[in-house]
Amino acid sequence: MSNVIRTHRWTATVLTCLALTGIAAGPAIAATADAEAHPTDSAFLRASHQGNLAEIAAGQDAQKNATTACVKHVGAVLVRDHTKLDADTKALAGKLGVDLPVAPSKEQQDALAAVMAKAGSSAYDAAWLKTQAAAHEKTLARIDNQIANGRNHEITAAARTARPVVAMHLDMVRGGTCRHAAEPREIHAGNGGQAALAADVPSVLAVPAVAVGGVLVAAGAFWAAGRIRRNDGR
C-alpha cells in the first residue's frame, strides 16, 4: 500500500512539472506567432493604409475647397491625425513584412472624385461631410472587428490606439453635420496593450528565455520528486 502511495505522489509531482513547463512555453509560442501577421491582420493593415491615404487626400481637398470654417478645420484635423496613423501603420507593416497598396481603393477614389466635382458650389461641404461620415463609420467597424478578432497583438494594439481618434473624427461629421471637437481622450489598451508590450520582445530572445525557464521549473519539480521518493524509502 505504501508503494502505491509513493508512486501516486511521485506521478503527481511529475505531472505538475510537465504542466508548469507547458505553461511556461505558451508565451514563447505566442511571441513566435506575433513575428508574422495572419492574413486577417495583414488585410487590416492594408485597408488602414488605404483609408489613411483617402482621408489625407479628402482633408487636403477640404482645406482648399470647403466654404465653411468648420469643414476646413475638420479637413486639417484629418490630415494631421491620419498622417500620424499612417506613419504608424507603415512602420508596423515594414516590421511584419506586410506589403501595402500605393493608393486608396477605387471606391474611395470614386467617392472623393464625386465630392471634388462639387468644388466651388454650396453643395461641396454637405457632400464632403456625408462622405466622411460614411467612411469613418466603415473604418470604426473595421477597427472593432480587428480588436475583437485580430490574431497579431501588435496590430490589434495599434487598432486600439487608433479607435478614439477615428471615433472623434466620426463625431465631427456624424449625420453630415460639421462639429468642432476636443482632442480624443487617451485610453488604456488593457490586456491587448500588455500583450503588445510582450510582443515587442524579439522572439529570438523570448523563446530561448522562456524555454530555459521551463527547463528550470521542470528540474526543480523532478528534484522535489526525488526527495519525496528518498524520504518515502526511509
Side-chain angles (χ1 to χ4, degrees):
M1 183 66 179
S2 59
N3 289 336
V4 173
I5 294 175
R6 286 197 297 270
T7 299
H8 285 175
R9 292 174 63 183
W10 185 83
T11 301
T13 304
V14 171
L15 291 176
T16 300
C17 152
L18 295 176
L20 290 172
T21 304
I23 292 172
I29 296 173
T32 302
D34 263 5
E36 298 179 355
H38 185 271
T40 299
D41 301 308
S42 298
F44 174 78
L45 283 181
R46 295 187 181 102
S48 295
H49 176 59
Q50 287 185 304
N52 289 328
L53 294 180
E55 301 308 334
I56 292 169
Q60 291 172 337
D61 194 68
Q63 289 178 282
K64 292 188 299 181
N65 294 313
T67 61
T68 63
C70 183
V71 172
K72 287 180 180 291
H73 167 71
V74 175
V77 170
L78 294 192
V79 173
R80 179 198 68 194
D81 292 347
H82 283 283
T83 297
K84 173 61 170 64
L85 291 176
D86 200 48
D88 296 339
T89 297
K90 289 188 291 187
L92 191 51
K95 177 181 179 180
L96 299 174
V98 177
D99 60 302
L100 297 177
V102 297
S105 68
K106 184 179 184 305
E107 178 184 0
Q108 291 165 336
Q109 293 181 45
D110 290 345
L112 180 57
V115 174
M116 292 175 67
K118 302 180 187 300
S121 73
S122 59
Y124 177 90
D125 289 36
W128 190 90
L129 289 167
K130 181 179 179 180
T131 300
Q132 289 309 305
H136 282 82
E137 285 173 356
K138 290 182 179 179
T139 300
L140 202 58
R142 185 171 66 248
I143 287 173
D144 287 340
N145 180 68
Q146 177 66 27
I147 292 173
N149 303 308
R151 299 194 182 187
N152 183 284
H153 293 299
E154 288 184 282
I155 296 176
T156 299
R160 289 181 185 275
T161 299
R163 194 186 194 287
V165 178
V166 175
M168 181 195 73
H169 294 171
L170 180 56
D171 285 342
M172 297 176 81
V173 299
R174 192 187 300 276
T177 300
C178 189
R179 304 176 185 86
H180 285 78
E183 294 298 312
R185 292 176 298 173
E186 182 179 357
I187 61 171
H188 299 288
N191 290 336
Q194 294 164 10
L197 291 176
D200 286 338
V201 179
S203 58
V204 69
L205 297 177
V207 173
V210 175
V212 170
V215 170
L216 292 176
V217 171
F222 277 112
W223 175 83
R227 288 291 302 272
I228 291 172
R229 296 186 67 182
R230 287 195 296 272
N231 290 338
D232 287 343
R234 294 176 181 175

